Amino acid sequence: DPGKRGTSEQGSMSASPAIISADVSVHIRCDPEIVFNYFADPRNEPEYNSLVSDVTKTSPGPIGMGTTFAGRHRGFGPVTWRLVTFEPPKHFVIDGVVGRGRYRWTSDLERTTEGTLLTGHMEWEPAGCMRWFRPLLRPLLSWKARRSIRQMAARLDEDAL
C-alpha cells in the first residue's frame, strides 16, 4: 500500500493511540515532477495553508534527503520540518515538530493520464495540554489537512491552465 510505505520506512507513529492521523487523496492536472518539487518544499506551504508562515530553509545545499526547514503555525507556534525520505518524483516523507508535538507527512505521487494522483498521510502527536483535546483535534485536523491539500491542488491546477 503506497500510502503506508513512508510510515514503515522510518518507523510508524501510528502505533500510539495518542496519534492524530488523516489520509488525503487528490488529483492534480500537473506532471508529478511539478507537484513533487512544489509540495516537497515547505516554503510553498503558506501559499495554500494560511495557518503556516515565515518558512525558511535552514540547511545548506539543494532540497533533498536531510533538508531542514523552520516556520510558524498559528495556534501551535514554531514548526520544524526535515525531509527523511526523498524519491523524486514519486515519494517523500517529512518529519517535524509542530508546537511541541511530533509530526510526519508521507506523500506518494502517481502519474495518471491527466496529471498526478497525490496520496498523503499525516500523523501528529499532540504534546502537553494539547493531548487533552485529542477528541476535538482529530476531526478538525483531518478536515484541515484535506482542505490544505485541495487548496494546494487548486493552486497548481490554476498554474497548469
Side-chain angles (χ1 to χ4, degrees):
D1 177 359
K4 300 291 183 193
R5 185 170 82 173
T7 54
S8 62
E9 287 172 351
Q10 301 292 328
S12 177
M13 290 174 55
S14 294
S16 168
I19 300 299
I20 294 172
S21 65
D23 293 299
V24 179
S25 185
V26 66
H27 190 268
I28 304 167
R29 292 183 307 245
C30 293
D31 288 336
E33 293 80 8
I34 292 169
V35 177
F36 186 95
N37 290 336
Y38 182 81
F39 195 41
D41 184 345
R43 292 174 296 184
N44 294 317
E45 188 165 351
E47 295 179 15
Y48 57 87
N49 183 349
S50 63
L51 298 178
V52 174
S53 64
D54 304 321
V55 180
T56 58
K57 187 168 161 282
T58 57
S59 57
I63 293 175
M65 179 102 78
T67 302
T68 57
F69 302 85
R72 297 211 47 84
H73 190 292
R74 191 174 34 164
F76 294 109
V79 180
T80 60
W81 296 272
R82 177 177 162 77
L83 281 160
V84 297
T85 304
F86 190 79
E87 301 169 7
K90 296 182 177 198
H91 177 70
F92 68 90
V93 178
I94 295 176
D95 278 353
V97 177
V98 177
R100 293 185 349 212
R102 292 182 316 133
Y103 169 87
R104 168 167 287 176
W105 178 269
T106 302
S107 283
D108 289 288
L109 295 85
E110 180 182 329
R111 184 178 301 279
T112 66
T113 56
E114 296 179 17
T116 302
L117 176 64
L118 181 139
T119 304
H121 179 74
M122 184 237 4
E123 298 174 294
W124 182 57
E125 183 174 25
C129 65
M130 295 302 282
R131 290 181 297 206
W132 301 107
F133 297 102
R134 271 193 300 265
L136 298 171
L137 289 171
R138 267 189 176 77
L140 178 65
L141 293 178
S142 182
W143 173 81
K144 183 61 181 157
R146 287 191 300 274
R147 182 173 175 248
S148 290
I149 297 306
R150 284 194 305 269
Q151 288 175 327
M152 189 260 312
R155 170 113 172 63
L156 289 173
D157 282 346
E158 208 174 86
D159 289 348
L161 298 177

